[in-house]
Amino acid sequence: MELPAKTFRVTRADLVRYAGASGDFNPIHWSDRFATKVGLPGVIAHGMFTMALVGRAITEWAGSPDAVVEYGVRFTRPVVVPDDDQGTEIEVSARVREVTEDGLTRLDVTATCLGEKVLSQARATIRTTR
């Protein structure tokens, strides 16, 4: 069973806010000049910010933050965020892999940006609400 896809817009302003909240002011997250100098295609979103957005989708599917039992990902590709007002979008979808007898639902999660997967081995276990 497929769960309804969720889309999250990411702008440079979001990256600034996340940097302030996380304390991660690495210039790859705000300086095109620095990001391209180190071989990136441009400014990229923080990996943990991307993971948090996917976590938000999982929480919405679960119905409650405390219903998320387990969640993990591997970072595959950076999310490049252009310097404009539109930014980019991360689309998150999931497929139910298994429903256990003890009321847990295991999800295989996919996160893409511009049609490219940005996470691999993205999986979550949620407690099924009754």
Side-chain angles (χ1 to χ4, degrees), residues 54-130:
V54 175
R56 184 188 303 171
I58 293 165
T59 299
E60 289 176 11
W61 290 321
S64 169
D66 65 347
V68 179
V69 176
E70 185 174 26
Y71 168 46
V73 305
R74 293 238 171 125
F75 301 105
T76 314
R77 179 171 277 116
V79 174
V80 179
V81 181
D83 190 11
D84 60 22
D85 293 334
Q86 283 71 47
T88 194
E89 289 183 338
I90 297 172
E91 183 169 306
V92 185
S93 59
R95 182 182 62 78
V96 174
R97 180 171 25 113
E98 175 187 17
V99 177
T100 68
E101 290 181 19
D102 56 349
L104 298 177
T105 300
R106 292 192 170 83
L107 304 176
D108 291 326
V109 182
T110 302
T112 61
C113 180
L114 301 175
E116 300 281 341
K117 284 178 86 170
V118 296
L119 301 175
S120 67
Q121 298 180 26
R123 297 185 181 102
T125 301
I126 59 176
R127 196 172 296 105
T128 308
T129 56
R130 296 191 169 136

Side-chain angles (χ1 to χ4, degrees), residues 7-18:
T7 302
F8 300 95
R9 180 160 301 284
V10 179
T11 65
R12 293 277 178 101
D14 295 321
L15 301 186
V16 170
R17 285 189 287 276
Y18 185 82

